[in-house]
Amino acid sequence: MDGWANFDVRDDGAGGQILCLTGRLTLACLGDLPQRLEREAGPFSAVDLTDLEDIDTVGAWLAYRLGRDFAVPVTGADSDARRLMEAVRKGDVDAPYDPAWRNPLLAAFDLVGRAMGLLWANIVGTLSFLGAILIAFFSVIRHPRRFRFKALVRQIEMVGVSSLGIVGLMSFLIGIVIAQQGAVQLRQFGAEVFTVNLVGRLTLRELGVLMTAIMVAGRSGSAFAAQIGTMKLTEEIDAMRTIGVNPVEALVLPRILAAVLMMPLLGFYAAIMAIIGGAVLSALTLDIPFFTFLSRIQEVVPMHDLWVGLIKAPVFGMIIAMTGCFQGMQVSGNSEEVGLRTTAAVVQAIFLVIVLDAFFAVFFTEIGWG
């Protein structure tokens, strides 16, 4: 058929034969050409590409392989064909099946050294990224009209409003679990009534904000990394810089502000849903009426427990958003990097949130809010 890849065998004028490839040597037009070529025993004096109409990487690999297997030169290639054949030639490397033996101790030191080098690079990169964020923030303060309020509203919807369902359900179930497990343990001492204290203080002070931060890191932090990483891969961010748009102002600031603003609200909402879950279980299994449970919360939970959660929440939000955006900005090379950076964003955000929560616990205990 016209346009499809084909071949012809011609005399070279010296008693030999030349294998001439014709048509479009591309993946879409290849057809059964490789199978038909396998039945050609040769020998040939050359592989000729003069009559080719088009060629892609698959065709270049086929032509290169024919020249390699028959040990003959490939002639008649234009500049595009030569470039593609050179690329596939560089990829034709026999990798060893078994890796070379390495001393386990040296391998461990090498692994630790690489990890420390990566850690240092991440610390330096994060500090540099934080500096870029601060510069962009103060620049927007000096020129408020450059700030993208519509982008901020959109990110608030994604981080906050769209998360209400999953965060509320998760917190409600956590409240039930805390109340049930706490009641089982307190029943041994005849102190089931203190289940109210346990649920109230634990959710308002720790678990409400912490579990919300973990959920936001997995949901929004990963989305930030994937969105910005894809834009980096498709060179949209380079295009923004070319037309004079600062990508930190346009992409990073709205996401960070949305996370900082929404985390206290989501944390408080999660704590309330957990308390409602504990109240429901207490009404069903502990004979503590629902509204009695809620009124008792006001008596046994000090106000500073609420402030502890609300103070931690925006810091967690900033860490999650900054980690996601930073990892997205580091994407380069290929699409696999997007997945790797997205995973790194979630893991690092959750790790940093838990570490900061431990520091906050010590700090608030030292100031008398324990």
Side-chain angles (χ1 to χ4, degrees):
M1 290 183 290
D2 292 340
W4 285 74
N6 208 339
F7 73 94
D8 189 16
V9 178
R10 304 172 186 171
D11 292 333
D12 62 359
Q17 293 180 316
I18 299 176
L19 179 64
C20 301
L21 299 178
T22 61
R24 299 172 60 86
L25 201 61
T26 62
L27 178 61
C29 300
L30 205 59
D32 62 345
L33 179 64
Q35 291 78 11
R36 289 190 286 127
L37 285 171
E38 288 179 0
R39 295 193 289 269
E40 292 294 323
F44 302 106
S45 60
V47 176
D48 185 51
L49 308 182
T50 304
D51 297 332
L52 282 183
E53 301 175 15
D54 194 12
I55 189 172
D56 63 2
T57 307
V58 175
W61 167 251
L62 178 61
Y64 165 76
R65 192 183 65 184
L66 289 172
R68 182 197 65 186
D69 293 346
F70 289 121
V72 296
V74 179
T75 61
D78 59 17
S79 58
D80 290 338
R82 288 195 299 271
R83 177 174 54 83
L84 290 174
M85 290 178 62
E86 178 63 20
V88 297
R89 185 193 65 79
K90 292 179 179 178
D92 185 23
V93 179
D94 291 330
Y97 290 102
D98 297 321
W101 183 87
R102 295 183 64 190
N103 187 299
L105 183 60
L106 295 179
F109 279 116
D110 179 66
L111 183 62
V112 172
R114 291 177 183 272
M116 295 304 296
L118 182 61
L119 176 62
W120 176 251
N122 277 332
I123 291 174
V124 173
T126 302
L127 291 176
S128 175
F129 188 64
L130 178 60
I133 292 173
L134 292 176
I135 292 172
F137 180 74
F138 288 116
S139 177
V140 166
I141 290 178
R142 287 187 287 112
H143 306 92
R145 297 184 62 182
R146 286 164 51 179
F147 184 69
R148 299 170 179 256
F149 288 99
K150 291 183 179 179
L152 174 61
V153 173
R154 172 60 178 159
Q155 296 304 324
I156 285 176
E157 179 186 2
M158 290 183 60
V159 176
V161 179
S162 300
S163 301
L164 290 176
I166 185 64
V167 170
L169 177 61
M170 176 196 69
S171 301
F172 182 81
L173 296 176
I174 286 177
I176 290 177
V177 171
I178 294 173
Q180 193 273 333
Q181 293 296 316
V184 168
Q185 300 301 319
L186 293 172
R187 185 178 293 124
Q188 303 176 41
F189 309 100
E192 292 171 291
V193 68
F194 291 107
T195 302
V196 179
N197 304 53
L198 179 65
V199 173
R201 299 205 64 178
L202 196 57
T203 54
L204 282 170
R205 186 184 182 93
E206 290 293 339
L207 284 187
V209 175
L210 184 60
M211 296 306 296
T212 300
I214 293 174
M215 184 62 67
V216 170
R219 188 180 181 278
S220 300
S222 60
F224 293 166
Q227 291 165 358
I228 296 178
T230 302
M231 295 180 69
K232 183 77 179 300
L233 199 63
T234 56
E235 300 182 352
E236 293 179 60
I237 291 179
D238 294 334
M240 293 175 68
R241 291 193 178 100
T242 301
I243 63 176
V245 176
N246 187 342
V248 177
E249 291 182 11
L251 301 176
V252 177
L253 277 185
R255 287 169 167 80
I256 290 180
L257 289 177
V260 170
L261 293 175
M262 286 295 101
M263 269 300 298
L265 300 178
L266 285 174
F268 180 73
Y269 166 73
I272 296 301
M273 292 301 296
I275 289 172
I276 292 175
V280 169
L281 183 91
S282 298
L284 295 177
T285 63
L286 302 180
D287 296 327
I288 301 176
F290 182 85
F291 290 103
T292 301
F293 186 101
L294 297 183
S295 62
R296 177 70 176 160
I297 286 286
Q298 302 177 41
E299 300 173 6
V300 300
V301 178
M303 184 58 68
H304 65 251
D305 279 359
L306 173 62
W307 288 114
V308 167
L310 294 180
I311 290 171
K312 292 192 293 186
V315 179
F316 291 168
M318 184 184 69
I319 291 297
I320 292 168
M322 193 172 73
T323 302
C325 294
F326 170 72
Q327 292 297 337
M329 286 291 191
Q330 302 307 304
V331 170
S332 62
N334 52 52
S335 57
E336 183 182 3
E337 190 79 5
V338 177
L340 295 175
R341 291 293 180 176
T342 301
T343 303
V346 175
V347 173
Q348 289 182 11
I350 294 176
F351 173 77
L352 291 174
V353 162
I354 293 175
V355 170
L356 282 175
D357 189 63
F359 280 111
F360 273 123
V362 175
F363 171 74
F364 287 124
T365 300
E366 290 295 325
I367 67 173
W369 281 11

